[in-house]
């Protein structure tokens, strides 16, 4: 876990330190709020990336969440759970975004976005810590993927290569590369689920 | 074909952005009739997004997000009320634009952020300064005898500068895309470049003063579209060359104080940026390949930095020189699109 509050470092997260940073931010100290953003951004962005509706924009949602948090800091009750408060605001932002998208004239006419958005909305009720756990397990699961297949995932997700380029690199058809991606996603999902179950 | 196999094909096409209208209808029908399939689709969508996030989960990306978010914080109650009540792009929210790119990366998607040459629609008129389609900011065929300065990134507007290059006519069986001349990339370094050893990307830049056109983008509805043609003399099968084009929106201070000479500074301190780099050169000197991209201009932009690059795409071949690689027909248009909601 990262610790950036007020430029100070700590071995473990320190609620006392957090309370101090919140108090400074509430008093108008922008650098204190920057420390809050820096501390929570990865957790929030990954959670939103997993839960944002089709057509939504995860990092836009994260920015709107932080802006809302900043404007409502005065409402935060000292001594209560800041994480829970922040993610409640994030869920509200997610619902607002889903509603905005549904109101677009052609949203229902396009590919099943509404069906999927509703399913994603249901899942957004899960504790945010589950996303962090999945991200952690994903790293372990990727280590189990054979090197050659991991390279394909790297091309797809880090280099953003088109399928055609990937097919050229591995000297296979585009259909074969798509099939491989399907299989890899399935296996990785199963691996994550297994580790989540073991952890539970 | 079993419906599960068909679903695998359709869902993968959907995640890759390759699903056509008929496929969309077929997939919709499958999902509507099968709750278990919907759950699997969501499982895989979330795994796909998690993979996208994990592969782009770098310190500099997080730091860019922090900077962008903090820059958006209202500086006074009045500004905050204004931003909430209006909720339109404004100078206050200008730094949010790069987040579009980060979000797309996080989702494993770049669709809609950077156009590929196939999706590129270019304003037809190249002769008029102002058309209904947009303002032609650049139509560069390298026909003058002004050789780009090999002095690295420019800090003054106007003129090309960057790594060593030259202007040539037909050369190595490559003909200019238009006119008599084209630019030839020569090296991945420039005069007195620090730590030049190990460089393998040749970049050429143009700093453009966009302030005279501010009326065209001050409401957040201005979009700059850039495209460029690339070609190469025949090269060995084991070599690969990748092209890139980038646009950076800068404020006046950053554009002229030299701080943007750092890659990190360009990405973290520019008001917004966009990059397209999915073009690998083929081995056909007779054809030109085009790469295109676009950037929505933040209203407080003062300058645009155009960056066009060519790199050795495999680690084994990386060196300073480029044996026969060319650039021609660089076009840039300022056009209009609805301000973001």
């Amino acid at each position: 876990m990262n610790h950036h509050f007020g430029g100070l470092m700590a071995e473990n997260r320190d609620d006392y330190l957090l309370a101090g940073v919140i108090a400074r931010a509430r008093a108008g100290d922008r650098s204190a709020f920057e420390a809050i953003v820096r501390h929570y951004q990865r957790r929030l962005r990954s959670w939103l990336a997993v839960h944002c509706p089709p057509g939504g924009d995860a990092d836009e949602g994260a920015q709107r969440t932080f802006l809302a948090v900043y404007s409502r800091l005065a409402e935060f009750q000292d001594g209560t759970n800041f994480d829970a408060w922040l993610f409640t605001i994030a869920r509200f932002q997610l619902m607002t975004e889903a509603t905005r998208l549904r109101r677009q004239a052609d949203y229902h006419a396009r590919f099943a976005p509404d069906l999927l958005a509703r399913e994603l909305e249901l899942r957004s009720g899960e504790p945010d810590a589950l996303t962090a756990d999945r991200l952690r397990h994903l790293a372990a699961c990727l280590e189990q993927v054979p090197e050659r297949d991991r390279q394909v995932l790297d091309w797809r997700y880090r280099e953003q290569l088109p399928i055609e380029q990937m097919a050229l690199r591995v000297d296979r058809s585009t259909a074969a590369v798509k099939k491989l991606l399907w299989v890899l996603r399935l296996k990785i999902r199963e691996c994550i689920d297994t580790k989540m179950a073991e952890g539970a | 074909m079993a419906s599960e196999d068909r679903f695998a094909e359709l869902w993968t096409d959907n995640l890759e952005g390759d699903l056509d209208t008929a496929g969309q209808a077929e997939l919709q029908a499958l999902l509507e009739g099968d709750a278990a399939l919907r759950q699997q689709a969501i499982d895989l969508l979330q795994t796909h997004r998690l993979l996208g996030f994990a592969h782009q989960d770098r310190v500099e990306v997080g730091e860019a997000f922090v900077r962008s978010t903090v820059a958006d914080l209202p500086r006074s109650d009045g500004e905050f009320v204004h931003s909430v009540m209006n909720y339109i792009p404004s100078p206050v929210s200008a730094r949010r634009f790069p987040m579009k790119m980060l979000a797309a990366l996080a989702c494993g998607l770049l669709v809609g952020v950077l156009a590929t040459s196939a999706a590129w629609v270019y304003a037809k008129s190249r002769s008029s300064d102002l058309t209904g389609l947009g303002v032609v900011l650049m139509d560069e065929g390298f026909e003058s005898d002004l050789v780009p300065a090999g002095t690295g990134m420019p800090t003054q507007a106007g003129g090309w500068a960057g790594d060593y290059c030259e202007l040539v006519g037909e050369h190595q069986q490559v003909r200019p895309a238009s006119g008599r001349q084209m630019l030839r990339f020569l090296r991945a370094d420039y005069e007195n470049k620090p730590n030049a050893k190990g460089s393998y990307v040749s970049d050429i830049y143009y700093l453009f003063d966009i302030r005279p056109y501010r009326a065209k983008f001050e409401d957040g509805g201005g979009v700059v579209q850039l495209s460029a043609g690339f070609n190469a003399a025949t090269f060995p099968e084991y070599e690969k060359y990748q092209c890139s084009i980038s646009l950076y929106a800068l404020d006046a201070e950053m554009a002229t104080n030299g701080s943007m000479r750092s890659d990190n500074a360009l990405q973290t301190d520019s008001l917004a940026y966009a990059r397209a780099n999915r073009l690998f050169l083929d081995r056909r000197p007779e054809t030109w390949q085009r790469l295109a991209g676009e950037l929505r201009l933040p209203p407080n932009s003062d300058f645009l930095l155009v960056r066009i690059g060519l790199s050795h795409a495999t680690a084994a071949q990386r060196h300073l020189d480029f044996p026969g690689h060319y650039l021609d027909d660089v076009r840039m248009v300022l056009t209009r699109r609805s301000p973001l909601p």
Side-chain angles (χ1 to χ4, degrees):
Chain A
M1 189 174 286
N2 298 321
H3 298 279
H4 299 283
F5 291 127
L8 300 175
M9 294 293 154
E11 285 299 316
N12 299 300
R13 210 175 92 200
D14 186 334
D15 287 344
Y16 178 77
L17 196 58
L18 174 61
V21 173
I22 291 170
R24 282 170 47 207
R26 194 185 282 154
D29 183 342
R30 291 165 68 92
S31 67
F33 191 75
E34 182 175 337
I36 292 173
V37 175
R38 187 167 282 114
H39 182 76
Y40 283 100
Q41 59 86 13
R42 183 173 181 271
R43 202 167 129 196
L44 181 63
R45 288 172 52 236
S46 61
W47 184 81
L48 283 166
V50 169
H51 291 99
C52 72
D57 188 324
D59 276 3
E60 288 270 8
Q63 287 197 316
R64 282 199 296 272
T65 299
F66 281 122
L67 285 172
V69 166
Y70 184 73
S71 67
R72 294 171 61 179
L73 271 178
E75 298 171 23
F76 175 67
Q77 294 182 356
D78 290 334
T80 59
N81 188 332
F82 186 78
D83 295 20
W85 186 70
L86 185 146
F87 274 90
T88 298
I89 291 175
R91 286 189 180 88
F92 178 76
Q93 293 292 331
L94 210 55
M95 288 166 58
T96 304
E97 177 68 355
T99 303
R100 185 186 71 79
L101 288 167
R102 277 193 200 109
R103 286 175 179 160
Q104 288 181 357
D106 66 337
Y107 196 64
H108 298 275
R110 287 183 282 123
F111 157 64
D114 198 36
L115 279 176
L116 302 177
R118 288 179 195 282
E119 297 282 353
L120 284 168
E121 203 167 321
L122 283 176
R123 294 190 185 193
S124 72
E126 297 170 345
D128 70 275
L130 289 183
T131 301
D133 287 344
R134 289 200 175 95
L135 198 56
R136 186 164 47 83
H137 291 321
L138 171 64
C141 291
L142 282 172
E143 288 180 8
Q144 296 175 17
V145 175
E147 176 62 32
R148 206 180 76 167
D149 292 344
R150 210 158 62 222
Q151 176 69 72
V152 171
L153 290 172
D154 201 67
W155 289 336
R156 170 62 184 85
Y157 290 103
R158 194 187 311 280
E159 294 189 34
Q160 308 276 328
L161 285 185
I163 297 285
E164 292 75 14
Q165 287 286 347
M166 292 160 60
L168 278 175
R169 288 190 178 189
V170 294
D171 196 22
R172 297 172 71 174
S173 67
T174 56
V177 172
K178 285 183 178 178
K179 181 73 178 173
L180 176 61
L181 284 172
W182 165 265
V183 170
L184 288 173
R185 286 169 184 145
L186 268 183
K187 282 185 177 174
I188 287 168
R189 178 71 191 196
E190 286 168 7
C191 173
I192 292 172
D193 284 349
T194 302
K195 289 185 183 298
M196 294 290 283
E198 288 169 358
Chain B
M1 182 183 289
S3 65
E4 283 181 16
D5 290 340
R6 184 61 183 149
F7 171 70
E9 283 185 1
L10 292 169
W11 192 241
T12 305
D13 279 347
N14 177 54
L15 293 182
E16 298 305 326
D18 290 342
L19 200 61
D20 59 20
T21 308
Q24 288 177 15
E26 190 180 351
L27 183 54
Q28 173 121 10
L30 277 175
L31 288 173
E32 280 177 347
D34 192 332
L37 219 52
R38 282 202 298 277
Q39 290 302 315
Q40 189 181 26
I42 292 291
D43 283 348
L44 291 171
L45 174 66
Q46 289 191 314
T47 304
H48 167 69
R49 290 176 170 185
L50 211 54
L51 280 162
F53 183 87
H55 280 81
Q56 300 293 336
D57 187 18
R58 300 190 300 271
V59 171
E60 60 268 29
V61 173
E63 194 55 30
F65 175 87
V66 173
R67 283 167 173 267
S68 172
T69 303
V70 171
D72 266 2
L73 294 179
R75 292 182 181 275
S76 68
D77 289 349
E79 280 182 339
F80 175 70
V81 170
H82 176 80
S83 66
V84 171
M85 296 304 289
N86 290 281
Y87 198 55
I88 56 173
S90 67
V92 171
S93 61
R95 284 178 184 267
R96 190 174 290 164
F97 288 100
M99 289 298 104
K100 281 283 189 190
M101 173 173 282
L102 296 182
L105 291 170
C107 291
L109 300 168
L110 214 56
V111 178
V113 179
L114 298 176
T116 63
S117 53
W120 177 250
V121 180
Y122 182 68
K124 292 294 183 187
S125 170
R126 295 176 60 183
S127 56
S128 61
D129 290 329
L130 182 61
T131 72
L133 296 171
V135 181
V136 179
L137 301 178
M138 180 185 291
D139 189 356
E140 178 64 76
F142 302 106
E143 296 304 312
S144 83
D145 292 321
L146 206 60
V147 179
T151 51
M153 193 183 296
T155 53
Q156 288 188 328
W160 292 93
D163 292 323
Y164 290 119
C165 59
E166 65 179 357
L167 301 181
V168 295
E170 182 175 343
H171 199 62
Q172 297 176 312
Q173 296 183 312
V174 176
R175 290 181 178 174
S178 63
R180 298 176 299 106
Q181 293 190 135
M182 55 192 172
L183 180 144
R184 181 187 178 199
F185 294 100
L186 288 176
R187 290 171 62 88
D189 61 354
Y190 56 85
E191 188 180 356
N192 298 324
K193 180 180 182 181
N195 306 315
K197 189 177 179 184
S199 298
Y200 60 92
V201 182
S202 181
D203 287 313
I204 184 83
Y205 302 87
Y206 194 102
L207 186 61
F208 194 97
D209 188 347
I210 197 79
R211 289 174 293 192
Y213 304 94
R214 192 179 300 285
K216 300 290 178 193
F217 63 85
E218 64 186 356
D219 64 346
V223 174
V224 172
Q225 300 176 325
L226 173 72
S227 74
F230 295 86
N231 204 349
T234 304
F235 53 91
E237 280 291 328
Y238 53 83
E239 290 184 358
K240 286 182 180 172
Y241 295 91
Q242 186 169 12
C243 311
S244 67
I245 60 172
S246 310
L247 284 165
Y248 302 91
L250 307 171
D251 58 32
E253 183 184 0
M254 188 186 183
T256 54
N257 68 8
S259 65
M260 64 180 178
R261 287 195 166 215
S262 144
D263 258 334
N264 284 342
L266 266 182
Q267 292 187 14
T268 57
D269 291 346
S270 57
L271 301 172
Y273 69 92
R275 176 180 170 85
N277 63 350
R278 289 188 179 187
L279 181 66
F280 289 84
L281 286 173
D282 59 28
R283 296 177 176 79
R284 292 182 297 165
E286 68 275 15
T287 59
W288 284 82
Q289 296 168 263
R290 291 199 74 78
L291 186 59
E294 64 178 29
L295 174 71
R296 186 180 282 269
L297 273 182
N300 53 340
S301 304
D302 294 320
F303 289 82
L304 259 177
L305 181 68
V306 176
R307 175 183 187 172
I308 300 177
L310 176 77
S311 66
H312 292 278
T314 68
Q317 74 182 66
R318 286 176 181 172
H319 51 81
L320 276 171
D321 300 317
F322 291 86
H325 298 80
Y326 304 92
L327 171 71
D328 206 352
D329 266 358
V330 182
R331 304 168 189 168
M332 185 163 68
V333 176
L334 172 60
T335 188
R336 296 278 308 161
R337 201 167 288 166
S338 299
L340 294 171

